[in-house]
C-alpha cells in the first residue's frame, strides 16, 4: 500500500553544496587515488500538474546524464595515463567540468527545495484508509464538528474562511481507525472563479474515496441562505458519485428542522432525494441516515452523525470487496463444516460438577481487602490517609506509629537532648575553623624549616597575597571571553608592564629595585642598523662624514654579506669533513626523492596505499593446506 509522507522528503541542497559534497568525498582519500566522480542518482519522482516542476526534474536528469558521460570519457583517458601525475590532472579536469554542470542547474535545485518545503507543509493523507470528508459553505460548523469527534484542534472563528487548508484528524468506530478531513468552505460560483483555498476542497472531493458529510446551516447565521447552499449542493453533486453521502442540518439549537418554511423544506427534501440516488449507486437503497440534524453547541446528534457516516462507509467498502474477483477467489478456498445429527437423542448443555464446586468455593472465599476498600470505608479520598508505616518491620508493632520514642532502655530520651544543641554545634565549627586558619598561617611563614623575622613575614605575606590575586584574576579571565594569547610588551599600549612600575612595587615592599631594573634594561637590544654601523666603524672600512658612515658603503657591505654560496661549500657546524663529502650527501638526498617526485607526491606524508587484497591471493578455490599466508 502506497504511503504518502511528504515530510520525509530529503532536503534538496543548492548547487554550491553539491560541489562541496563532490569535492569533499573525492579528496577524502589520498591524492593518488582515482575516482569516477559523484553522480546524482535515484531522484525521487513525484507527479504534479506543474510544468516548472517537470522542467526542473528534466534539467537534473540531463545534468546527471552529462556527468555520467564526462565520467565515462575521462575514465577512458585514465586507462592510458602514463603517470600518476597525469591521472591526477585528468581527475581535476573531470571534476571541474562536473562542477560547471552543477552550477548551471543551481536555479532548478533552489526551485525544487521550495517545492519540497511546500509539500512538507501539506498534511499526510492516506488515500487508501477509511476516510470521512466534511464539506459545505463557509462558517456552517465543519471545524466545530471536527474538534468534537477527533483529537484535532482546528481554529474556529465566527467569520468565513477561517480554515484555509486541509486538516486531518482521526476517530474510532467499532475498533477501527477512521481518517476525518476538514476542508475549507466552498462558494457557489463558476469553476474558473474559485481560488486556491476552494480548490483544495474540490480536489479532495474529486480524488479521495470517502464518505461525504455535506453540512447545511438551516439557521442562516452563516450569512448564506438555504437556497444558496442548495445551489452549491446541486453544482458539485457530480463529485459525490459512488460515495456514501449524508446531509447534516447543523445549528438546530437556533432553528429546528421542523420550523423551516415550506420553500426551504422543499429545497432540503430535493437535496435528500439527490442524496438517495447517490447512495443507491454506492451501497444500494437505504433511506435511513441520509438526512440528519445536530448542534455542535449542545452536542445534540453529533455522535449519531459520526456513527452514520462511518457505518455507511464501512458498508460500501465491504460491498466493494464482496463484489471483487479477489474475494470470490478467497471464498472458494474456505469450507465451513456444519455437524449433522446422528440420532434423535437430546444433549442439553451440561456443566461438570467439579466446575460448579470450584465456583462455589471461590464465591465463598473472602475477598482480600485492599487499601482502596479501606479508604472507601473510612470516608474516601481526602478524608482517609493511608499509613505508610504499617508495613515497618520492628520488634514491637506498637512502635510503628511513634514519631520519636520517649522511653528507650529505661531512660527518658528527652533528658539527653540539649535545647541549645544547634548553637553549640555552630560554636564548635567556628572554633575549628579558627584553629585551621592559625595552623595554615603558621605553616605559610616557614620556609625550608628556617624561621623568618617579623619584617620578612610581612613581606612574604604581601607577596603571597599578590600571587593569590593574580591567580584569581587569571582564573576569572579563563572563565570569561578574556582568555587570549599573551600580548608582547612592545604592543603594551597601556604601559602596564614597565620598569618604573616594578621599581615602585619593590620599593613599597622595602626591597632595593636598582639591581632588578639594571638587569631588565641590560637585556634589551639596540637597533639592527646601529649595530651594523658600529660593527663597520670598528672594522675601519667605513668612511665617516660628519660622524655618520656613507650609505653607499653600507649598501656595498650588505650586498657582500647576502651573496649566495656554492651548494658544495662547507659551512662550519654542518657536520661535513670537506666539500667532497657534502657533494655525496646531496647526491644521495636527490636519489631518495626521485621516486617520490615521479609519483607526484608532495612529501613523505603523501604516501601510496597499496591494494590490501590482491586478486591472486583472494580468488580461486582454496586447496588443502595452511591458509596463514592469506
Amino acid at each position: 500500500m502506497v504511503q504518502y509522507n511528504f515530510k520525509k522528503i530529503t532536503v534538496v541542497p543548492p548547487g554550491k553544496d553539491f560541489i562541496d559534497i563532490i569535492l569533499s568525498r573525492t579528496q577524502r582519500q589520498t591524492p593518488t587515488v582515482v575516482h569516477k566522480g559523484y553522480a546524482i542518482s535515484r531522484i525521487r519522482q513525484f507527479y504534479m500538474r506543474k510544468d516548472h516542476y517537470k522542467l526542473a526534474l528534466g534539467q537534473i536528469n540531463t545534468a546527471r546524464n552529462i556527468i555520467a558521460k564526462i565520467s565515462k570519457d575521462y575514465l577512458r583517458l585514465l586507462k592510458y595515463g602514463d603517470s600518476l601525475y597525469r591521472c591526477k590532472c585528468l581527475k581535476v579536469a573531470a571534476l571541474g567540468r562536473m562542477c560547471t554542470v552543477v552550477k548551471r542547474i543551481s536555479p532548478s535545485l533552489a526551485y525544487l527545495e521550495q517545492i519540497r518545503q511546500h509539500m512538507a507543509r501539506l498534511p499526510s493523507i492516506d488515500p487508501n484508509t477509511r476516510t470521512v470528508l466534511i464539506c459545505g459553505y463557509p462558517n456552517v460548523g465543519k471545524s466545530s464538528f471536527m474538534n468534537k469527534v477527533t483529537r484535532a484542534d482546528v481554529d474556529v472563528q465566527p467569520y468565513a474562511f477561517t480554515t484555509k487548508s486541509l486538516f486531518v484528524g482521526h476517530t474510532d468506530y467499532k475498533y477501527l481507525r477512521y481518517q476525518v478531513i476538514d476542508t475549507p468552505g466552498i462558494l457557489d460560483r463558476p469553476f474558473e472563479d474559485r481560488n486556491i483555498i476552494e480548490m483544495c476542497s474540490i480536489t479532495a472531493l474529486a480524488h479521495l474515496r470517502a464518505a461525504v458529510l455535506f453540512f447545511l446551516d438551516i439557521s442562516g447565521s452563516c450569512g448564506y441562505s438555504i437556497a444558496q447552499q442548495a445551489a452549491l449542493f446541486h453544482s458539485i453533486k457530480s463529485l459525490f458519485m459512488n460515495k456514501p453521502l449524508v446531509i447534516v442540518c447543523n445549528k438546530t439549537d437556533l432553528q429546528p428542522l421542523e420550523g423551516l418554511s415550506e420553500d426551504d423544506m422543499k429545497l432540503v427534501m430535493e437535496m435528500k432525494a439527490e442524496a438517495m440516488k447517490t447512495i443507491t449507486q454506492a451501497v444500494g437503497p437505504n433511506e435511513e441516515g441520509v438526512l440528519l440534524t445536530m448542534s455542535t453547541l449542545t452536542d445534540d446528534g453529533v455522535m449519531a452523525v459520526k456513527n452514520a457516516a462511518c457505518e455507511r462507509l464501512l458498508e460500501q467498502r465491504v460491498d466493494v470487496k464482496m463484489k471483487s474477483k479477489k474475494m470470490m477467489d478467497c471464498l472458494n478456498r474456505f469450507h465451513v463444516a456444519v455437524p449433522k445429527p446422528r440420532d434423535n437423542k437430546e444433549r442439553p448443555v451440561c456443566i461438570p460438577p467439579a466446575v460448579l464446586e470450584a465456583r462455589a468455593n471461590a464465591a465463598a472465599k473472602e475477598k482480600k481487602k485492599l487499601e482502596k476498600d479501606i479508604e472507601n470505608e473510612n470516608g474516601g479520598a481526602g478524608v482517609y490517609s493511608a499509613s505508610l508505616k504499617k508495613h515497618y518491620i520492628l520488634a514491637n508493632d506498637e512502635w510503628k506509629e511513634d514519631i520519636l520514642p520517649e522511653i528507650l532502655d529505661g531512660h527518658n530520651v528527652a533528658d539527653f537532648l540539649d535545647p541549645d544543641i544547634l548553637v553549640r554545634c555552630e560554636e564548635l565549627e567556628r572554633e575549628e575553623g579558627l584553629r585551621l586558619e592559625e595552623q595554615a598561617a603558621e605553616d605559610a611563614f616557614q620556609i625550608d624549616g628556617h624561621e623568618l623575622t617579623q619584617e620578612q613575614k610581612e613581606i612574604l605575606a604581601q607577596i603571597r597575597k599578590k600571587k593569590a590575586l593574580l591567580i584569581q584574576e587569571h582564573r576569572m579571565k579563563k572563565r570569561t571571553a578574556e582568555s587570549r594569547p599573551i600580548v608582547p610588551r612592545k604592543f603594551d599600549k597601556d604601559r602596564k608592564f614597565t620598569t618604573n612600575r616594578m621599581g615602585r612595587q619593590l620599593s613599597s615592599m622595602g626591597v632595593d629595585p636598582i639591581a632588578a631594573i639594571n638587569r631588565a634594561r641590560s637585556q634589551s637590544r639596540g637597533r639592527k642598523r646601529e649595530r651594523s654601523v658600529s660593527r663597520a666603524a670598528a672594522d675601519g672600512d667605513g668612511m665617516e662624514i660628519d660622524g655618520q658612515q656613507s650609505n653607499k658603503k653600507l649598501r656595498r657591505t650588505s650586498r657582500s654579506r647576502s651573496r649566495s654560496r656554492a651548494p658544495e661549500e662547507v659551512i662550519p657546524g654542518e657536520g661535513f669533513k670537506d666539500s667532497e663529502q657534502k657533494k655525496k650527501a646531496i647526491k644521495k638526498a636527490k636519489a631518495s626523492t626521485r621516486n617520490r617526485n615521479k609519483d607526484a607526491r608532495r612529501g613523505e606524508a603523501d604516501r601510496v596505499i597499496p591494494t590490501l587484497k590482491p586478486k591472486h591471493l583472494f580468488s580461486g578455490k582454496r586447496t588443502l593446506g595452511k591458509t596463514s599466508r592469506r
Side-chain angles (χ1 to χ4, degrees):
M1 185 172 63
V2 181
Q3 294 289 339
Y4 295 92
N5 193 349
F6 300 123
K7 293 179 177 58
K8 288 187 178 180
I9 301 177
T10 57
V11 178
V12 181
K16 185 177 181 301
D17 291 352
F18 262 124
I19 293 174
D20 293 341
I21 292 170
I22 294 169
L23 297 181
S24 65
R25 292 188 178 179
T26 305
Q27 301 298 337
R28 192 174 300 160
Q29 302 291 337
T30 57
T32 53
V33 179
V34 180
H35 294 270
K36 297 181 181 179
Y38 183 82
I40 305 171
S41 61
R42 298 188 67 183
I43 300 174
R44 187 175 182 181
Q45 301 293 332
F46 286 95
Y47 174 77
M48 291 185 66
R49 295 184 177 181
K50 292 186 179 181
D51 294 336
H52 296 287
Y53 184 77
K54 294 181 180 179
L55 287 174
L57 288 181
Q59 290 176 0
I60 290 180
N61 190 28
T62 304
R64 186 192 65 174
N65 295 332
I66 293 174
I67 291 174
K69 186 176 182 300
I70 293 172
S71 175
K72 185 177 180 181
D73 294 343
Y74 276 87
L75 280 176
R76 190 181 296 111
L77 294 174
L78 285 170
K79 292 179 181 178
Y80 300 100
D82 54 354
S83 64
L84 287 179
Y85 179 75
R86 185 66 57 85
C87 294
K88 287 174 65 175
C89 293
L90 290 173
K91 182 192 74 170
V92 172
L95 290 175
R97 292 185 60 184
M98 292 177 185
C99 293
T100 304
V101 173
V102 174
K103 284 181 180 178
R104 290 178 181 174
I105 61 171
S106 295
S108 300
L109 295 172
Y111 176 73
L112 289 175
E113 173 60 17
Q114 294 178 359
I115 293 296
R116 184 200 67 81
Q117 294 177 1
H118 177 72
M119 295 174 69
R121 289 190 290 267
L122 297 177
S124 298
I125 299 175
D126 188 358
N128 300 310
T129 190
R130 295 165 289 275
T131 307
V132 177
L133 195 66
I134 308 172
C135 65
Y137 255 89
N139 202 20
V140 295
K142 302 186 296 297
S143 299
S144 300
F145 175 77
M146 178 85 168
N147 293 338
K148 293 288 183 181
V149 300
T150 67
R151 292 185 293 273
D153 187 11
V154 186
D155 188 18
V156 177
Q157 297 294 339
Y159 50 82
F161 288 107
T162 305
T163 304
K164 297 181 181 179
S165 62
L166 301 178
F167 285 89
V168 181
H170 295 84
T171 186
D172 295 330
Y173 177 72
K174 288 186 177 179
Y175 304 103
L176 295 175
R177 179 62 58 88
Y178 286 78
Q179 182 179 245
V180 184
I181 301 177
D182 181 20
T183 63
I186 311 173
L187 298 179
D188 183 24
R189 52 185 177 181
F191 186 81
E192 58 272 7
D193 295 340
R194 290 193 170 102
N195 54 23
I196 297 177
I197 299 176
E198 296 176 87
M199 288 305 298
C200 289
S201 302
I202 298 297
T203 306
L205 286 170
H207 295 285
L208 289 178
R209 296 171 50 196
V212 181
L213 296 178
F214 186 84
F215 272 58
L216 192 67
D217 185 2
I218 59 177
S219 67
S221 61
C222 63
Y224 305 98
S225 62
I226 296 180
Q228 291 175 317
Q229 299 178 58
L232 173 65
F233 177 83
H234 291 294
S235 64
I236 64 174
K237 65 181 180 181
S238 60
L239 301 175
F240 303 150
M241 300 301 294
N242 298 324
K243 295 177 183 177
L245 176 63
V246 178
I247 299 174
V248 182
C249 297
N250 194 16
K251 302 184 181 180
T252 55
D253 56 317
L254 300 177
Q255 174 65 51
L257 183 63
E258 294 79 11
L260 293 178
S261 61
E262 293 182 1
D263 296 337
D264 292 342
M265 183 61 74
K266 183 178 179 181
L267 293 173
V268 173
M269 290 297 111
E270 289 178 358
M271 294 168 61
K272 181 180 179 181
E274 292 291 338
M276 282 295 302
K277 295 180 182 178
T278 304
I279 291 172
T280 303
Q281 295 175 357
V283 296
N286 186 4
E287 188 177 353
E288 184 180 358
V290 178
L291 181 65
L292 299 176
T293 60
M294 76 168 189
S295 172
T296 53
L297 182 63
T298 61
D299 292 345
D300 185 18
V302 173
M303 299 308 297
V305 171
K306 186 199 85 168
N307 295 340
C310 295
E311 188 65 34
R312 286 189 175 279
L313 179 62
L314 195 60
E315 290 177 0
Q316 189 228 12
R317 291 173 66 93
V318 171
D319 186 60
V320 170
K321 289 181 179 179
M322 291 296 294
K323 291 179 181 179
S324 64
K325 295 182 179 180
K326 185 177 180 181
M327 189 65 188
M328 296 305 297
D329 294 340
C330 293
L331 289 177
N332 291 334
R333 302 176 187 176
F334 290 110
H335 172 70
V336 181
V338 179
K340 295 181 180 180
R342 61 183 180 223
D343 50 22
N344 296 328
K345 185 178 180 180
E346 294 184 1
R347 294 179 175 83
V349 178
C350 177
I351 300 177
V355 176
L356 293 175
E357 184 178 358
R359 188 182 299 175
N361 294 335
K365 189 176 180 180
E366 184 180 0
K367 185 180 179 181
K368 183 180 179 181
K369 186 176 291 187
L370 304 177
E371 194 70 31
K372 187 175 182 181
D373 300 334
I374 301 174
E375 182 182 17
N376 294 332
E377 292 176 359
N378 292 274
V383 179
Y384 172 78
S385 180
S387 176
L388 302 177
K389 301 179 181 179
K390 60 168 47 178
H391 299 294
Y392 283 3
I393 302 175
L394 299 176
N396 191 352
D397 293 340
E398 297 178 357
W399 296 349
K400 291 182 179 181
E401 301 297 334
D402 289 348
I403 299 175
L404 185 67
E406 298 180 359
I407 304 299
L408 185 64
D409 297 334
H411 300 283
N412 191 356
V413 178
D415 295 339
F416 297 93
L417 294 180
D418 191 348
D420 301 330
I421 187 170
L422 297 178
V423 179
R424 297 185 182 278
C425 289
E426 293 179 358
E427 292 178 355
L428 287 174
E429 291 178 358
R430 196 179 304 113
E431 183 180 354
E432 184 180 2
L434 293 174
R435 289 184 177 179
L436 291 175
E437 290 180 0
E438 292 176 359
Q439 185 66 30
E442 292 178 0
D443 296 340
F445 292 131
Q446 189 173 2
I447 301 177
D448 297 333
H450 300 288
E451 294 292 336
L452 301 177
T453 63
Q454 186 65 27
E455 184 179 359
Q456 291 174 343
K457 289 182 180 180
E458 293 177 357
I459 295 173
L460 184 60
Q462 292 180 5
I463 293 174
R464 287 182 173 170
K465 183 178 180 181
K466 182 66 176 178
K467 182 180 178 181
L469 291 175
L470 290 175
I471 293 174
Q472 186 177 4
E473 183 181 357
H474 173 68
R475 289 176 178 172
M476 290 183 66
K477 285 183 178 180
K478 285 187 68 177
R479 287 197 297 266
T480 60
E482 299 179 4
S483 179
R484 297 182 179 91
I486 299 174
V487 181
R489 291 192 178 183
K490 64 179 180 179
F491 299 110
D492 185 16
K493 305 297 183 182
D494 300 333
R495 305 294 293 174
K496 290 184 178 180
F497 307 100
T498 60
T499 55
N500 295 332
R501 180 183 175 187
M502 181 178 67
R504 289 195 301 270
Q505 290 180 353
L506 292 176
S507 298
S508 64
M509 297 168 59
V511 180
D512 188 8
I514 296 175
I517 292 174
N518 292 335
R519 185 170 62 254
R521 288 177 177 174
S522 65
Q523 292 176 358
S524 63
R525 298 179 180 178
R527 298 179 63 183
K528 184 176 181 181
R529 182 171 178 178
E530 294 175 356
R531 291 199 305 273
S532 63
V533 170
S534 61
R535 191 180 300 113
D539 295 338
D541 296 335
M543 182 169 53
E544 297 184 359
I545 302 174
D546 295 335
Q548 296 182 357
Q549 192 178 13
S550 173
N551 292 333
K552 186 176 180 180
K553 185 66 177 177
L554 285 174
R555 287 196 298 270
R556 192 185 310 139
T557 306
S558 63
R559 280 200 301 269
S560 64
R561 287 176 183 168
S562 62
R563 191 175 298 151
S564 61
R565 302 185 183 90
E568 62 274 3
E569 184 179 348
V570 179
I571 301 174
E574 283 187 334
F576 296 107
K577 181 174 64 174
D578 51 10
S579 60
E580 293 296 330
Q581 188 179 17
K582 188 173 181 180
K583 284 182 181 179
K584 291 181 181 180
I586 294 174
K587 188 176 181 180
K588 287 185 178 181
K590 289 182 179 180
S592 64
T593 59
R594 187 178 297 118
N595 294 332
R596 186 184 69 195
N597 295 338
K598 282 186 177 180
D599 295 339
R601 288 187 287 163
R602 301 187 67 180
E604 294 180 358
D606 189 4
R607 58 194 178 88
V608 179
I609 299 179
T611 305
L612 300 180
K613 292 185 178 182
K615 186 175 180 181
H616 70 282
L617 292 180
F618 289 88
S619 62
K621 295 183 180 180
R622 295 175 59 180
T623 57
L624 296 176
K626 297 182 180 179
T627 58
S628 58
R629 67 181 184 86
R630 299 197 181 192

